[in-house]
Amino acid sequence: MKIHEYQARQLLASFGITVPPGQMIEGQEQAAAAYQAAVAGMAKPLAVIKAQVHAGGRGKAGFVKLVDNQPDALAAAEFMLSHRMVSPQTPPEGLEVKKVLIAQAADIADRAGGGKEEFYLAVTLDRTTRRNMLIASREGGVEIETIAHERPEAIVKQPLDPIEGLRPFHAREVAFKLGFKGKQINQAADIMQKLARLYVAKDCALAEINPMVITPPDAKNPDGQVVALDAKFDFDDNGLFRHKDLQAMEDPAEENPAETRAKAFNLSYVALDGNIGCLVNGAGLAMATMDIIKLEGGEPANFLDVGGGATEQAVTEAFSIILSDARVKGILVNIFGGIMKCDIIAHGIVNAAKGFKNADGTTGFKVPLVVRLEGTNVDAGRKVLQDAKSVVPTLQAAKDLGEAARKVCAAVG
């Protein structure tokens, strides 16, 4: 599960991490008051306006604006709330913006040698070492993947102790490596330790601050102050039952509707960009199915794992979810019968295909359906499919995965 930036800021603040004040709005009429609250007491009335969507690339898409007066704040909020945001991380049609964050803009100290004092900080699971890992970089505010690829030496990694978490001396060591000085060292180390505790306490898959910055020196903070400006969190869905507060932060409007439907039937579904729908039991088999489709020149439209004990109702719902995507021109069903017997799943497929209701009120599949069965009771399952060809004319049976992929790719052209 993901949350919005304004919610991520609230979460950081609840763990004692300093973030600039801000307010989320859902209508242009709220922008004036939110702007005035954000800049109250500032020498320069600078505020940042940010679209709240579950996708990156907002700045380059024009959905992050720095403003220094109320009319510009109103104009920026109106633009974001009335346009869809399109970036490399959104679907081609973009995402509708329903919420906007108006926050106090932080003055960032200049870095010796050029640039600003911006840093990247995150905690996630390192699957190679099987340990939680603190990841940090002196180059914040940009895509960390690019830095890791082009300049891996710019990434600092520190494993977390399984019992004690991030130890204080390890945090200070990372702060030294990032170039913090004076009181900045303890401030940065404190944020690192709090982020590490937050990561574990909230069952995160990713806890990220980007950027973490240093403000210019002043009378109160002669070395400047280390502040978190933006944050991103991904939570482990398997741990959400322990966190009612996080469940309340979920925004269904930001989720793919088909993926939301799938969750209700315990189906693992991820929408893709192709035109061949996939219905498979087992995550590994689903990945292999998509690979074979690609190998034969096709494009999978989804990842869909119905699991090892799917009911006929779940199979019917799976077909409905797949065909809710107008781009789907054919379906490949790939089932390995173990707990799920092939004859039972075959009956479920046939009944779902016969009873499927199309948008125009007709019943039955209008797209090619290729089914490959293997495993327990496979002969009985294949006989069910053979006998059903007269009532499900779009159905084709395949003996192996390669044949199934070739047939469905040929059927969709």
Side-chain angles (χ1 to χ4, degrees):
M1 189 191 87
K2 298 179 180 180
I3 60 176
H4 289 295
E5 178 189 351
Y6 78 91
Q7 296 167 317
R9 284 169 167 243
Q10 293 169 0
L11 198 54
L12 290 179
S14 71
F15 273 73
I17 298 175
T18 302
V19 294
Q23 180 180 335
M24 184 274 291
I25 66 168
E26 298 180 87
Q28 182 196 359
E29 68 280 358
Q30 301 170 291
Y35 170 77
Q36 293 299 333
V39 302
M42 294 182 66
K44 298 178 182 179
L46 282 174
V48 62
I49 319 296
K50 294 185 173 184
Q52 299 297 283
V53 293
H54 289 173
R58 292 176 299 171
K60 294 179 180 178
F63 283 73
V64 175
K65 298 285 188 182
L66 189 65
V67 299
D68 60 3
N69 59 75
Q70 184 170 302
D72 285 350
L74 295 175
E78 180 184 14
F79 169 80
M80 294 179 192
L81 291 168
S82 60
H83 290 76
R84 298 181 73 87
M85 191 194 94
V86 179
S87 82
Q89 297 188 29
T90 69
E93 68 274 15
L95 296 175
E96 182 181 3
V97 179
K98 297 183 178 181
K99 299 176 180 179
V100 169
L101 172 66
I102 300 181
Q104 184 181 106
D107 193 6
I108 305 174
D110 294 321
R111 180 172 290 170
K116 295 290 186 178
E117 291 284 18
E118 297 181 310
F119 304 83
Y120 175 91
L121 189 66
V123 181
T124 191
L125 174 64
D126 182 350
R127 297 186 184 277
T128 302
T129 62
R130 301 179 183 180
R131 298 178 68 179
N132 293 329
M133 186 76 69
L134 174 71
I135 303 172
S137 174
R138 190 166 168 79
E139 301 182 43
V142 296
E143 295 179 355
I144 193 65
E145 295 85 357
T146 302
I147 298 172
H149 177 70
E150 296 178 355
R151 297 181 304 282
E153 70 281 356
I155 306 293
V156 178
K157 297 182 179 181
Q158 175 59 54
L160 274 59
D161 184 274
I163 303 299
E164 298 183 27
L166 182 63
R167 293 169 173 168
F169 74 93
H170 280 147
R172 288 193 295 272
E173 183 178 335
V174 173
F176 275 115
K177 290 180 180 179
L178 295 178
F180 288 99
K181 299 177 181 178
K183 294 183 179 180
Q184 301 168 4
I185 295 170
N186 285 336
Q187 292 179 25
D190 182 62
I191 291 177
M192 293 175 196
Q193 289 181 273
K194 288 175 178 176
L195 187 67
R197 286 196 292 270
L198 192 163
Y199 174 86
V200 174
K202 296 297 183 180
D203 289 308
C204 297
L206 171 70
E208 176 184 279
I209 297 175
N210 187 26
M212 179 174 69
V213 306
I214 303 174
T215 62
D218 56 28
K220 185 178 180 180
N221 298 289
D223 291 324
Q225 185 179 17
V226 182
V227 179
L229 292 193
D230 194 356
K232 175 182 177 181
F233 289 94
D234 288 348
F235 301 98
D236 184 347
D237 291 342
N238 294 317
L240 285 177
F241 72 94
R242 288 192 285 260
H243 307 287
K244 301 297 183 183
D245 57 330
L246 297 181
Q247 294 177 32
M249 291 182 176
E250 185 175 14
D251 186 352
E254 289 292 318
E255 303 295 331
N256 182 300
E259 294 178 10
T260 302
R261 285 176 60 188
K263 286 181 182 179
F265 285 84
N266 294 318
L267 303 172
S268 298
Y269 174 88
V270 178
L272 302 173
D273 297 328
N275 62 356
I276 298 175
C278 303
L279 190 159
V280 190
N281 67 324
L285 189 59
M287 296 295 289
T289 302
M290 293 190 293
D291 286 344
I292 297 296
I293 289 174
K294 291 281 288 185
L295 184 65
E296 295 296 336
E299 291 292 338
N302 63 269
F303 168 100
L304 196 157
D305 173 16
V306 296
T311 63
E312 184 174 319
Q313 182 185 18
V315 171
T316 301
E317 183 66 17
F319 279 125
S320 179
I321 291 169
I322 290 172
L323 290 171
S324 67
D325 184 348
R327 294 171 296 186
V328 171
K329 305 302 179 186
I331 301 175
L332 172 56
V333 177
N334 185 19
I335 298 295
F336 184 84
I339 298 173
M340 182 187 293
K341 295 180 175 64
C342 289
D343 55 335
I344 294 175
I345 193 66
H347 280 295
I349 293 168
V350 171
N351 291 336
K354 289 192 298 184
F356 183 79
K357 293 183 179 180
N358 297 288
D360 59 6
T362 60
T363 58
F365 285 169
K366 294 184 177 181
V367 301
L369 171 65
V370 178
V371 181
R372 178 258 185 172
L373 297 177
E374 193 58 76
T376 307
N377 291 359
V378 64
D379 291 335
R382 288 173 179 169
K383 186 176 188 305
V384 171
L385 298 180
Q386 181 66 34
D387 295 343
K389 285 186 178 181
S390 59
V391 291
V392 186
T394 64
L395 189 152
Q396 301 179 57
K399 292 183 179 179
D400 57 52
L401 181 51
E403 180 186 358
R406 287 190 293 274
K407 282 187 173 182
V408 76
C409 289
V412 302

